[in-house]
Amino acid sequence: MSATLAILTIGVVPVEETLPLLTEHVSAQQITHISLLGKMSPDEVRSEYRVEAGDVAVPTRLQDDSLGMLSRAKVERDLQSVIEVLDNQGYDVILLLSTADIQGLVARNAILVEPQRIIPPLVASIVDGHQVGVMVPIPELMAQQKRKWQVLENEPYYVLAHPWLATDSELISAGKTLLEQGADVLMLDCLGFHQQHRDLLQKALDVPVLLSNVLAARLASELLV
């Protein structure tokens, strides 16, 4: 029997561009996408996952394309519940397609692929001393991104650039800003960035561009045997 994969996302995440990286190894019929909050209205999400005193907030894209700042503890609690259900259903691989700072998730039987845990050390080994420039989509993610990339030998440079709102020329201008600061590798660490953004920047700026969701998908695909 072919391996089965569950793609687990927190909010509204289009996974269509990730699927071709996975269907090289497994048929689309063997892949299931579950969104924790995707079927909930923004009001329901903000009510059920409101940030309490002492909570850490994680930003998430909601049904109406707005940004929800949600309780990390509540999101982690409910993601773990979904993982347990998927585990009991016999999925071989569970891919958490998220760049949020989510921690403490476990799967008993399935292989759980967590980009937050896997991607930073992988990128650190790839760039090996090069100067990385990171494109961050929204100011709310800047502090998280700076914590995340502390594993790099050289402290990265950062610039704000939104994958849906910025024009091609604005993305290229943001990339040029990073290069002018000294970056020689660009990192696109947001699920809104896709391969067309990487191709655009590589062609315009002639530098390597790493895409976190592609790295995560390729890692997951290697487990689908």
Side-chain angles (χ1 to χ4, degrees):
M1 182 179 292
S2 298
T4 52
L5 167 73
I7 300 175
L8 177 57
T9 61
I10 299 174
V12 176
V13 177
V15 300
E16 292 78 10
E17 297 209 19
T18 306
L19 288 178
L21 303 171
L22 300 166
T23 52
E24 296 173 5
H25 301 265
V26 63
S27 72
Q29 288 71 35
Q30 298 298 111
I31 300 174
T32 300
H33 172 214
I34 302 96
S35 172
L36 179 66
L37 310 176
K39 294 183 179 179
M40 297 175 64
S41 73
D43 287 343
E44 288 173 329
V45 171
R46 290 188 172 95
S47 174
E48 292 192 28
Y49 292 88
R50 65 184 177 275
V51 180
E52 310 286 357
D55 278 349
V56 174
V58 292
T60 303
R61 184 188 179 198
L62 304 181
Q63 243 186 22
D64 60 355
D65 289 338
S66 66
L67 182 71
M69 298 301 293
L70 313 180
S71 163
R72 184 176 74 178
K74 294 173 184 176
V75 170
E76 289 171 345
R77 175 199 65 198
D78 291 350
L79 283 175
Q80 182 59 46
S81 296
V82 175
I83 288 170
E84 290 171 6
V85 170
L86 296 172
D87 222 358
N88 290 332
Q89 290 176 344
Y91 282 92
D92 298 295
V93 178
I94 301 172
L95 170 58
L96 177 64
L97 201 57
S98 170
T99 56
D101 186 16
I102 300 298
Q103 303 172 6
L105 303 178
V106 294
R108 290 178 294 104
N109 301 308
I111 299 174
L112 178 61
V113 179
E114 299 174 89
Q116 179 70 16
R117 184 170 56 86
I118 296 171
I119 297 302
L122 175 63
V123 170
S125 68
I126 292 172
V127 301
D128 192 25
H130 286 271
Q131 181 61 57
V132 175
V134 182
M135 286 194 180
V136 182
I138 53 176
E140 291 86 349
L141 281 174
M142 190 65 76
Q144 173 198 319
Q145 285 286 303
K146 289 184 177 181
R147 290 193 302 271
K148 181 174 187 175
W149 298 111
Q150 288 176 346
V151 299
L152 298 179
E153 181 178 338
N154 299 320
E155 183 178 353
Y157 301 119
Y158 299 90
V159 69
L160 288 170
H162 198 289
W164 299 308
L165 303 180
T167 64
D168 286 355
S169 62
E170 288 170 337
L171 289 174
I172 292 169
S173 177
K176 286 180 177 177
T177 297
L178 293 171
L179 298 189
E180 289 166 358
Q181 292 175 325
D184 57 3
V185 178
L186 300 185
M187 182 72 214
L188 309 182
D189 188 31
C190 166
L191 297 181
F193 286 117
H194 291 294
Q195 294 188 80
Q196 68 265 27
H197 299 114
R198 182 189 63 185
D199 295 344
L200 169 75
L201 292 168
Q202 284 186 166
K203 182 178 180 180
L205 304 176
D206 194 28
V207 293
V209 180
L210 300 176
L211 195 59
S212 60
N213 55 0
V214 169
L215 292 172
R218 291 202 181 280
L219 284 170
S221 72
E222 293 299 317
L223 301 169
L224 298 173
V225 294

